[in-house]
Amino acid sequence: MTAPSPSAAAALLSALKFDRDGLVAAIAQQHDTGEVLMLAWMSREAVDETLATGHVTYFSRSRGKLWRKGETSGQTQRLVELRVDCDGDAVLLLVDQVGAACHTGTRSCFFRALRGGGLERIAEPIVDPKALYGAEA
Amino acid sequence: MTAPSPSAAAALLSALKFDRDGLVAAIAQQHDTGEVLMLAWMSREAVDETLATGHVTYFSRSRGKLWRKGETSGQTQRLVELRVDCDGDAVLLLVDQVGAACHTGTRSCFFRALRGGGLERIAEPIVDPKALYGAEA
């Protein structure tokens, strides 16, 4: 999407109800296939940056700072549309995901399903996480 | 889905990382269309009850108790499959939603989208919320 006008961005921000940590939940869904890719969190600053750049920025709770998705790994998310839920504490990001959304190299973070025998892996990595993050992975 | 075996349920629960409030985030997605319906929260007890009954039970943060989805409104969610994300703090519920997931009577809670002019309603209610909740709505 192109960057919204200042008034449209302001309307969005006034509809969002950030929690006690200043965050809203953000679901990323591949815009054309409907696949749910991941759940993460956005601060007000992350929302601002996402709208300004057209690429998704989250807030990393573990690192306590903005997380420009794909900045290290190259697995970026281009924002196609942003939707807000009824009570404003969650957003649905329709995105175009490059490669793997998950840091494990799997397309979606939801790669385990409860089946008869327990939790089963239902998708394999499509990229090698070592190639994404080097020695960190 | 049929109720999982005790060992399968135990494998799931051991993979979940409940937060400081004892909750995991739960995304409900219509299993056949891919539509993201809502985001809510589950306690360990809510997960147990969902698996035992095959119908989704959440934990209502505002009411501080279990929330058997559709108990009042009739808009139930039958669980088709439960998936877990890479770090265990979110689940993806593939469900078969009766009627409207949203308390406003709209199919999905994500019925507002950021467009050029601001936040626009992109879906109308499919049921009258007054009919769902009577005088409460």
Side-chain angles (χ1 to χ4, degrees):
Chain A
M1 59 182 281
T2 54
S5 66
S7 67
L12 168 66
L13 286 164
S14 73
L16 294 179
K17 294 194 181 71
F18 295 95
D19 69 10
R20 60 189 168 188
D21 297 320
L23 303 174
V24 292
I27 302 162
Q29 181 180 34
Q30 175 65 28
H31 73 103
D32 48 2
T33 65
E35 186 178 22
V36 173
L37 299 168
M38 56 185 286
L39 175 77
W41 299 86
M42 298 178 94
S43 60
R44 186 179 174 121
E45 194 180 356
V47 173
D48 284 340
E49 187 167 304
T50 297
L51 296 180
T53 64
H55 282 82
V56 180
T57 291
Y58 298 104
F59 183 85
S60 168
R61 296 186 301 173
S62 58
R63 283 170 282 166
K65 63 176 188 178
L66 287 182
W67 164 28
R68 295 177 180 92
K69 175 72 182 159
E71 189 177 40
T72 307
S73 67
Q75 314 293 287
T76 53
Q77 291 179 343
R78 182 175 64 81
L79 183 65
V80 175
E81 182 162 280
L82 186 152
R83 298 182 185 166
V84 184
D85 80 346
C86 51
D87 54 7
D89 61 3
V91 296
L92 176 63
L93 307 172
L94 301 179
V95 302
D96 194 16
Q97 170 73 54
V98 171
C102 187
H103 74 288
T104 65
T106 310
R107 174 78 177 167
S108 164
C109 292
F110 296 95
F111 58 80
R112 295 179 292 172
L114 183 62
R115 299 278 168 87
L119 269 190
E120 293 182 14
R121 173 180 277 275
I122 58 170
E124 298 300 323
I126 58 171
V127 289
D128 181 349
K130 290 198 185 75
L132 298 180
Y133 303 101
E136 289 175 56
Chain B
M1 60 182 280
T2 54
S5 66
S7 66
L12 169 66
L13 285 164
S14 73
L16 294 179
K17 293 194 181 68
F18 294 96
D19 69 10
R20 61 190 169 188
D21 297 320
L23 304 174
V24 292
I27 302 162
Q29 181 180 33
Q30 176 65 30
H31 72 103
D32 47 3
T33 65
E35 187 178 22
V36 173
L37 299 167
M38 57 186 285
L39 175 78
W41 299 87
M42 299 178 93
S43 60
R44 187 179 173 120
E45 194 180 357
V47 173
D48 283 340
E49 188 167 304
T50 297
L51 296 181
T53 65
H55 282 82
V56 179
T57 291
Y58 298 104
F59 183 85
S60 168
R61 296 185 302 173
S62 58
R63 283 170 281 167
K65 63 177 187 178
L66 287 182
W67 165 27
R68 295 177 180 91
K69 176 71 182 158
E71 189 176 43
T72 306
S73 66
Q75 314 294 286
T76 53
Q77 292 179 341
R78 182 174 64 80
L79 183 65
V80 175
E81 182 162 279
L82 186 153
R83 298 182 186 168
V84 184
D85 80 347
C86 50
D87 54 7
D89 61 3
V91 296
L92 175 62
L93 307 173
L94 300 180
V95 302
D96 194 16
Q97 170 73 54
V98 171
C102 187
H103 74 288
T104 64
T106 309
R107 175 77 176 167
S108 164
C109 293
F110 296 94
F111 57 80
R112 295 180 291 173
L114 184 62
R115 299 278 168 87
L119 269 189
E120 293 182 14
R121 173 180 277 275
I122 58 169
E124 297 302 321
I126 58 171
V127 290
D128 181 349
K130 289 199 184 74
L132 299 179
Y133 303 100
E136 289 175 57

